Every structure is written in structure tokens, then in C-alpha cells.
Amino acid sequence: MPTLGSPLPGKSVPPQPPRPGLRGNYTDARPDYRIPQQWSHYSSDEHALWQLLYARQLRLVRRYACPEFLAALQKLDAGGGIPRFDSVNRKLRRTTGWEVVGVPGLIPDREFFEHLAHRRFPVTVWLRTPQEFDYIVEPDLFHDFFGHVPLLLDPVYAEHLQAYGAGGLKALPLGGLPYLARLYWYTIEFGLVRTAAGVRAYGAGLLSSGAELPYALLDPRPRRLAFDLLRVMRTEYRIDSLQPLYFVIESFAQLLSDTAPDFTPYYAHLAQLPTLQCGETVAEDRILL
Ligand code: HBI
Ligand code: FE
């Protein structure tokens, strides 16, 4: 008689969520955590909620997002309701070779990096509830799609994200994961970029947030530092509050070139340096107003 929890003979163990308490349903996920989007299962209320989230964010991104994001968002034309991944993928594939794959939510780092390294972006298939309109703890369909997917149409950003995934797979055995998680946080999630019109947002956590997008660009409280790869990889971050610190790149080309070298020597160097809390300052910091 198999003990509780062990798979029945011939049945494989379903992929486990990376931590307990996550909302998504992982039981039917494939070994690489993909699940079908099942677009026909979304209710009219969910499509209506998507339209409201999209309309609110569109007003904000027009003022605060980088031009590359705005141009890509227009191409995706996803404001009318929850987009179909298969039709978005036809556009993505012919533009930068990327595609989105449905997942139940957060997935373990290895599988996440594996998808990015093969130009597949994992997008959560479930949408937040109306009560979570302004803030949600876990990344949902709106955060992942509205925040992360448009810039996959930008060739330089798309190349960087694939290189980031490949770097993640190399980092796993080297203990580089915490450093890469910080890099992801301060760029892909909360990054700012200098543009001809001034500093603008490219990070998905900002672009999909009603409150943090204007805060990141207008509020005098957070510090905005010039991007410095090792400084970013030394710096802790907080996941449950508005960020006290943002990093500003000059361009996606700079992000791509600064992160192009092999990181192995960086990990050895970083292991010797004290971790910085997000409120700390070091002498080399270039503070941008
Ligand atoms: N899983 N679905 C999903 N989406 C993410 O953004 C994500 C993840 N797993 C791990 C992860 N991000 C972070 O650890 C990155 O820093 C790697
Ligand atoms: Fe995200």
C-alpha cells in the first residue's frame, strides 16, 4: 500500500510549487510547469476587469513608460479583453522569436531560467480579483502580460532577457542565484531608463502598478542611482513595499553590454563584499535626481 503523498505506481509526481500557499493550480502542470491558457474559460467579468486594469494603466504608461514599451503595447493591442496567447505568439515569434507560455504562477528558478534561455516567457494564466485591483502579492496575468510581454517585442531587450536566462542556468551551480535575483529585481521588475524626454520606466513591476509607477518617477523619497552592475547585485530588495531605491540605465544597449561578460568572476568578488540594504549608500553611488 503506497504511503500518503507518494505517487501511485506508474504515476509521476506533479511539479511542486516553488513555495507553499501559492494560488495557482500546479497539479496538471507539465514537468516544465507549462499549463494551457484555456482562454475560453475566462468569464465576461474577468474580461471586463482586464479592460479596467488596462485602461487605468494606459493613462499612466503614456506619461511614465519608456517609448519602446509604448510602441510595443500599441502593436499588441490587448486592451479589448484578456489576450489569447496563441495569437500574441504569432506576433512575438515573427518579431523577436519569443513566445509566452502559460504557467500556474511562480515557478522554480531552474525552470524559469530554462524558459527564458529558450525565449519563452512564463505568464500566469489566472487574473487577480477585483478586490486586488490596486495591489497583488503574487504576479498574476495582468502583471505578467501587461508588465513583461510588450518589451519582448524590442530586439535589444529580448536579447538581454534570453542572455539573462542562459546566465541563470550557469549561475545555479555557482551559487550566483541571489545576485541574479537582485539584477532581475532592479532591472526587469523595477528598472528605470534615461530617454530624450527624461527618466522613464521599463520595469514590469512599475509598468503594471497603479501606485508605484508615478511614485518611482515623481516622488522625492526614493533614491535613483545610475545603474552599476555590481552595486545592483550587492543590494537587497523588499518585495512588500514601494521601492526606496531605483537604478537608471542609459539604454537597453547598455544593459545588454554590461551584462554580457561571464559572471563567474563577479560571483567570487561579490562573495567578499558586504551585502547592502536598500537604504544604504556607498561612496561610488552616482545619485540621479
Ligand atoms: N516564476 N512565473 C515566474 N515568474 C517570475 O517572474 C519568476 C518565477 N520564478 C523565479 C523568479 N521569477 C525570480 O527568482 C527571478 O529572479 C529569477
Ligand atoms: Fe514580474
Side-chain angles (χ1 to χ4, degrees):
M1 177 64 177
T3 56
L4 271 182
S6 66
L8 296 173
K11 290 284 282 176
S12 63
V13 178
Q16 297 307 304
R19 61 169 189 259
L22 292 179
R23 183 177 316 189
N25 178 358
Y26 290 73
T27 46
D28 301 330
R30 291 165 40 177
D32 66 358
Y33 284 81
R34 283 195 230 198
I35 58 172
Q37 181 187 16
Q38 295 183 303
W39 185 84
S40 59
H41 291 194
Y42 294 120
S43 69
S44 53
D45 286 350
E46 287 178 301
H47 284 289
L49 178 59
W50 173 276
Q51 288 177 320
L52 285 175
L53 284 161
Y54 190 99
R56 190 267 303 269
Q57 236 24 58
L58 187 59
R59 281 194 299 278
L60 291 170
V61 296
R62 279 181 173 146
R63 295 178 61 188
Y64 303 118
C66 63
E68 295 86 345
F69 176 86
L70 290 173
L73 190 68
Q74 205 160 23
K75 282 189 200 135
L76 288 178
D77 187 25
I82 295 171
R84 295 169 189 258
F85 290 0
D86 51 4
S87 62
V88 171
N89 284 342
R90 281 192 286 278
K91 200 169 289 182
L92 280 170
R93 283 194 195 103
R94 68 167 176 267
T95 310
T96 56
W98 274 84
E99 61 180 305
V100 300
V101 293
V103 291
L106 287 173
I107 64 177
D109 290 328
R110 170 177 299 286
E111 284 77 12
F112 183 67
F113 289 131
E114 185 75 27
H115 282 304
L116 298 188
H118 292 89
R119 295 200 176 220
R120 296 188 299 262
F121 195 86
V123 174
T124 298
V125 298
W126 52 264
L127 188 64
R128 67 187 70 182
T129 63
Q131 293 69 30
E132 297 167 306
F133 189 86
D134 284 323
Y135 180 71
I136 183 164
V137 180
E138 292 176 57
D140 75 325
L141 173 58
F142 186 76
H143 164 84
D144 278 344
F145 193 95
F146 188 94
H148 286 284
V149 173
L151 281 173
L152 298 178
L153 288 168
D154 178 273
V156 182
Y157 178 98
E159 192 182 335
H160 164 69
L161 199 55
Q162 180 190 16
Y164 175 87
L169 292 174
K170 280 168 50 183
L172 284 166
L174 302 172
L177 218 53
Y179 303 119
L180 283 191
R182 292 168 185 162
L183 175 58
Y184 190 85
W185 188 265
Y186 285 115
T187 56
I188 307 303
E189 288 297 358
F190 290 95
L192 299 177
V193 59
R194 191 189 299 283
T195 77
V199 174
R200 293 291 185 271
Y202 71 94
L206 295 178
L207 294 166
S208 61
S209 166
E212 189 148 8
L213 184 49
Y215 163 87
L217 290 159
L218 300 178
D219 197 292
R221 285 168 296 178
R223 274 179 305 139
R224 300 165 184 90
L225 301 181
F227 178 84
D228 173 291
L229 181 63
L230 289 177
R231 173 59 160 97
V232 164
M233 293 205 282
R234 289 180 65 186
T235 307
E236 287 283 22
Y237 55 86
R238 285 205 296 263
I239 64 169
D240 54 0
S241 65
L242 296 177
Q243 299 303 306
L245 173 61
Y246 298 102
F247 288 89
V248 184
I249 58 174
E250 292 304 313
S251 64
F252 293 147
Q254 180 211 352
L255 182 60
L256 181 63
S257 61
D258 283 7
T259 57
D262 176 76
F263 280 17
T264 309
Y266 294 161
Y267 299 142
H269 179 55
L270 285 160
Q272 312 300 321
L273 298 174
T275 301
L276 295 170
Q277 297 310 311
C278 39
E280 287 187 71
T281 313
V282 292
E284 302 76 22
D285 284 345
R286 282 189 296 131
I287 298 180
L288 305 172
L289 294 175

